[in-house]
């Protein structure tokens, strides 16, 4: 065997059998010495060493600024729009990413890194990807810190100056009490229709709502049309005009007038209108006010509906309202058969509560409350005998040969609970809107009248389940009782009428605005 080493013998550099032929090592990495394929290597480095020396995030700022309005909790979206975004929400993350210039890189993943809420810093972790060669793609993670800077938005800045509104909605109802406005206030709170208002101000016979844009006022007017019967008028006032560009600035005012008919009011319909809506008896009571007026004939249980356009074509006033109700004692009650839903027609014999022990005068009346009344109960109704009404529709009824004999002595409206305590402690409450009273500060007599009306409104909520559907009731927070109050509270709980209607606890909502760190 020849041992001559000078003979040129070809040496095979092929990998051994069983090794993958897809990667052929032709050079060594200049940093770590690992064998790599020289035809695909970048800068004669392996992929791990190349990642340590190459930064694809160059040009992407690591710090940025976000502008936040503390008055309305909105974020500035350049150039001039303001958006609402919750902390660590998708909207806020999208706002953060729009502040970055990517420089031919694309984002693979993005997420928030937790920071202290009071630090005024928002940390975002990004995973970016970029092409470093013709067939090589590189990924890299980085962190961007956003500084929260406080800046007042133009709408909030205007709210601290005079004449900031662009549109106003003047809601009016020409009645002597605020019962309809109390119910409308609860509907507005339930649907959040007042969120875009910049001010709510008390006015004579109503409330004024101010908005910063015309479309917001039109949206609010559409909401009022969907819940109560109204009539709308629109006007505009020229504020300024640019003679060079012909641009004009207007202020818009919407006058919304509610129908002056409220729940439990006694009405005398025009005879022609009563015939058009089903030939109902013109002397009826209003039992519900929704998008239209619903009236009931207590003698026959016949009902009819009067829409807002029909009413304004033939308007009429109330014959008597809730302030004219008189308390009667039921001496006898006998159902006579016809029923309509929860109503049962009955014949009753009544005596005025103030006449007991003075005279034996009684009155006969038909009522729709036959399923609720028994002998000895108290009811509230309108006294027609001996009462003079300055109303042309009622005068027409007395002169009519058809209807004069159908005018009853008493019109019963609802059951009364005389043993119910006044100012009793309820386990529920309703929310109120924050209104600017301005110069219309109530006097002491007016404040007492408003308190009585609000108490009557709360009683209507307890007594009428259908009326309760439009109101959000909240649990009354428990108040810690003092030692000297225990005997007084126990005495109050022992009084009262057990038959009086109550609100079920299952219908109440939790008031999260009242929660604190100590609440459980």
């Amino acid at each position: 065997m020849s041992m001559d080493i000078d003979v040129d013998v070809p040496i095979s550099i092929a990998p051994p059998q069983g090794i993958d032929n897809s990667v052929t090592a032709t050079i060594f990495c200049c940093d770590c010495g690992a064998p790599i394929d020289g035809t695909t290597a970048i800068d004669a480095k392996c992929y791990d060493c190349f990642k340590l020396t190459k930064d694809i995030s160059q040009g992407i700022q690591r710090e940025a600024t976000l502008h936040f309005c503390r008055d309305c909790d909105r974020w500035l979206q350049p150039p001039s729009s303001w958006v609402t975004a919750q902390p660590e929400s998708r909207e806020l993350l999208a706002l953060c990413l729009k502040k970055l210039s990517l420089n031919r890189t694309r984002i693979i993943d993005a997420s928030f890194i937790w920071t202290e809420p009071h630090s005024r810093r928002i940390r975002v972790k990004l995973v970016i990807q970029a092409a470093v060669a013709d067939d090589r793609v590189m990924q890299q993670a980085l962190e961007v810190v956003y500084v929260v800077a406080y800046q007042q938005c133009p709408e909030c800045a205007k709210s601290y100056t005079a004449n900031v509104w662009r549109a106003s909605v003047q809601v009016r109802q020409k009645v002597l009490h605020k019962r309809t406005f109390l119910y409308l206030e609860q509907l507005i709170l339930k649907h959040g229709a007042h969120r875009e208002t910049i001010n709510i101000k008390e006015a004579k016979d109503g409330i004024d709502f101010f908005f910063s844009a015309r479309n917001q006022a039109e949206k609010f007017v559409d909401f009022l049309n969907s819940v109560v019967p109204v009539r709308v008028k629109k006007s505009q006032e020229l504020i300024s005009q640019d003679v060079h560009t012909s641009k004009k600035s207007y202020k818009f005012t919407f006058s919304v007038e509610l129908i002056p008919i409220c729940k439990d009011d006694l009405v005398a319909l025009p005879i022609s209108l009563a015939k058009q809506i089903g030939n109902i008896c013109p002397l009826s009571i209003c039992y519900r006010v929704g998008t239209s007026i619903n009236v009931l004939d207590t003698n026959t249980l016949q009902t009819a509906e009067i829409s807002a356009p029909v009413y304004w074509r033939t308007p009429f006033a109330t014959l008597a309202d809730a302030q004219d109700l008189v308390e009667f004692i039921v001496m006898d009650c006998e159902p006579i058969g016809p029923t309509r839903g929860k109503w049962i027609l009955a014949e009753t014999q009544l005596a005025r509560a103030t006449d007991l022990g003075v005279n034996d005068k009684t009155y006969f009346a038909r009522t729709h409350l036959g399923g609720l009344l028994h002998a000895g109960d108290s009811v509230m109704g309108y006294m027609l005998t001996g009462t003079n009404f300055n109303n042309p529709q009622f005068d027409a009824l007395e002169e009519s040969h058809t209807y004069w004999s159908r005018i009853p002595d008493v019109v019963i409206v609802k059951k009364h609970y005389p043993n119910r305590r006044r100012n009793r402690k309820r386990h529920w409450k309703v929310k109120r809107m924050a209104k600017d009273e301005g110069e219309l500060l109530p006097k002491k007599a007016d404040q007492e009248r408003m308190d009585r009306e609000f108490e009557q409104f709360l009683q209507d909520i307890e007594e009428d389940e259908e009326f309760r559907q439009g109101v959000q009731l909240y649990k009354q927070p428990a108040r810690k009782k003092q030692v000297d109050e225990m005997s007084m509270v126990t005495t109050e709980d022992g009084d009262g009428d057990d038959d009086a209607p109550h609100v079920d606890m299952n219908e109440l909502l939790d008031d999260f605005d009242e929660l604190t760190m100590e609440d459980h």
Side-chain angles (χ1 to χ4, degrees):
M1 182 175 180
S2 174
M3 300 297 293
D4 189 359
I5 61 175
D6 294 331
V7 179
D8 293 333
V9 179
I11 299 175
S12 175
I13 61 174
Q17 297 293 329
I19 299 179
D20 188 10
N21 297 329
S22 60
V23 178
T24 303
T26 58
I27 63 173
F28 296 99
C29 175
C30 63
D31 287 343
C32 65
I36 57 174
D37 185 5
T39 60
T40 60
I42 305 174
D43 296 339
K45 297 179 182 180
C46 64
Y47 182 71
D48 295 333
C49 295
F50 181 77
K51 289 194 302 181
L52 297 177
T53 58
K54 179 66 175 179
D55 185 11
I56 62 174
S57 64
Q58 291 180 355
I60 300 178
Q61 62 268 35
R62 301 302 177 97
E63 289 188 0
T65 303
L66 294 177
H67 297 280
F68 177 70
C69 179
R70 290 184 289 180
D71 294 333
C72 60
D73 295 339
R74 293 190 300 175
W75 302 84
L76 174 62
Q77 183 175 355
S80 60
S81 60
W82 292 80
V83 296
T84 302
Q86 297 296 327
E88 298 191 4
S89 62
R90 298 179 59 182
E91 293 79 8
L92 183 58
L93 183 60
L95 185 62
C96 294
L97 298 182
K98 289 180 181 179
K99 302 281 290 185
L100 303 178
S101 57
L102 298 180
N103 295 333
R104 296 183 180 181
T105 59
R106 63 175 183 174
I107 298 175
I108 301 301
D109 188 21
S111 60
F112 286 101
I113 301 176
W114 185 86
T115 55
E116 292 287 346
H118 61 273
S119 64
R120 294 173 57 184
R121 298 292 186 274
I122 297 177
R123 300 168 59 193
V124 178
K125 178 182 178 182
L126 301 178
V127 178
I128 59 176
Q129 187 182 79
V132 295
D134 294 338
D135 57 347
R136 290 297 182 92
V137 177
M138 180 177 173
Q139 290 187 3
Q140 184 177 344
L142 71 152
E143 179 182 334
V144 181
V145 178
Y146 296 87
V147 180
V148 179
Y150 294 139
Q151 179 179 341
Q152 201 172 42
C153 66
E155 289 79 5
C156 295
K158 288 181 181 179
S159 64
Y160 292 97
T161 60
N163 301 323
V164 300
W165 57 273
R166 287 297 176 185
S168 67
V169 179
Q170 300 175 351
V171 184
R172 299 290 185 270
Q173 188 183 34
K174 298 178 181 178
V175 293
L176 298 177
H177 54 83
K178 300 286 186 180
R179 295 179 60 195
T180 303
F181 274 105
L182 291 173
Y183 181 65
L184 180 60
E185 177 184 6
Q186 298 303 317
L187 289 177
I188 293 174
L189 289 172
K190 180 178 181 180
H191 297 88
H194 66 299
R195 292 175 181 172
E196 296 177 339
T197 58
I198 59 177
N199 192 15
I200 303 175
K201 189 175 181 180
E202 287 272 5
K204 184 180 179 181
D205 297 332
I207 307 175
D208 292 342
F209 297 86
F210 298 93
F211 299 88
S212 59
R214 173 185 174 183
N215 58 346
Q216 297 174 353
E218 291 176 343
K219 180 180 176 182
F220 185 74
V221 171
D222 292 339
F223 168 77
L224 295 179
N225 270 313
S226 65
V227 294
V228 288
V230 296
R231 178 173 62 176
V232 182
K233 293 182 181 179
K234 176 185 173 184
S235 63
Q236 60 186 19
E237 178 186 1
L238 180 63
I239 302 300
S240 62
Q241 180 180 2
D242 190 346
V243 295
H244 301 287
T245 60
S246 298
K247 291 184 178 180
K248 302 177 182 179
S249 178
Y250 287 95
K251 279 189 174 182
F252 301 90
T253 302
F254 298 85
S255 176
V256 180
E257 183 178 357
L258 276 68
I259 292 180
I261 307 295
C262 302
K263 184 176 179 290
D264 296 337
D265 284 355
L266 180 66
V267 296
L269 306 176
I271 296 178
S272 59
L273 177 61
K275 293 180 179 179
Q276 292 176 7
I277 59 177
N279 200 21
I280 190 174
C281 179
L283 192 63
S284 308
I285 61 172
C286 175
Y287 70 92
R288 182 175 58 195
V289 177
T291 55
S292 59
I293 301 175
N294 299 92
V295 295
L296 166 69
D297 180 11
T298 57
N299 292 323
T300 61
L301 299 185
Q302 183 181 358
T303 59
E305 182 177 328
I306 305 174
S307 61
V310 173
Y311 174 84
W312 293 116
R313 283 199 297 266
T314 56
F316 56 90
T318 59
L319 194 62
D321 55 21
Q323 299 178 358
D324 302 321
L325 290 172
V326 180
E327 182 181 354
F328 294 89
I329 304 298
V330 179
M331 311 303 293
D332 187 22
C333 180
E334 181 180 355
I336 58 177
T339 61
R340 188 184 184 93
K342 61 180 181 180
W343 297 326
I344 299 177
L345 189 63
E347 294 181 348
T348 59
Q349 187 177 5
L350 308 172
R352 195 157 52 178
T354 56
D355 292 343
L356 293 180
V358 178
N359 55 52
D360 297 333
K361 191 173 183 179
T362 59
Y363 305 93
F364 173 81
R366 284 190 174 185
T367 179
H368 59 293
L369 304 176
L372 298 177
L373 301 182
H374 303 86
D377 289 343
S378 298
V379 294
M380 302 296 290
Y382 295 107
M383 185 74 177
L384 302 184
T385 301
T387 305
N388 295 325
F389 295 102
N390 186 14
N391 188 283
Q393 286 81 19
F394 188 75
D395 295 340
L397 290 181
E398 292 181 330
E399 297 173 359
S400 173
H401 297 285
T402 305
Y403 297 107
W404 72 272
S405 61
R406 299 169 60 178
I407 298 177
D409 298 333
V410 177
V411 178
I412 299 176
V413 177
K414 60 182 178 180
K415 187 176 180 180
H416 180 54
Y417 302 91
N419 296 328
R420 179 165 46 188
R421 300 189 313 272
R422 293 183 179 180
N423 299 326
R424 59 194 177 92
K425 298 178 181 178
R426 295 181 172 89
H427 60 272
W428 55 272
K429 65 176 182 178
V430 295
K431 290 187 176 181
R432 304 294 303 274
M433 283 192 305
K435 297 184 289 293
D436 182 11
E437 295 179 348
E439 299 178 356
L440 298 177
L441 293 176
K443 299 178 182 179
K444 182 177 180 180
D446 295 336
Q447 185 63 40
E448 294 177 355
R449 177 181 57 83
M450 294 169 61
D451 293 341
R452 290 195 303 268
E453 292 174 356
F454 187 69
E455 176 63 25
Q456 182 61 42
F457 174 71
L458 297 180
Q459 293 180 8
D460 292 340
I461 293 176
E462 291 177 334
E463 296 172 3
D464 193 346
E465 295 183 1
E466 185 178 358
F467 184 75
R468 201 184 306 157
Q469 299 301 320
V471 182
Q472 282 186 332
L473 305 180
Y474 296 89
K475 295 179 181 178
Q476 187 75 261
R479 185 175 66 90
K480 296 182 179 180
K481 299 178 181 179
Q482 303 295 333
V483 177
D484 54 348
E485 293 180 355
M486 295 298 293
S487 59
M488 178 184 64
V489 172
T490 305
T491 305
E492 288 184 355
D493 291 341
D495 299 333
D497 192 350
D498 294 337
D499 296 334
H502 302 281
V503 178
D504 192 1
M505 289 292 293
N506 296 327
E507 302 180 30
L508 303 182
L509 303 174
D510 290 321
D511 188 5
F512 292 103
D513 294 341
E514 300 291 339
L515 293 180
T516 61
M517 294 298 293
E518 298 179 357
D519 293 330
H520 300 284

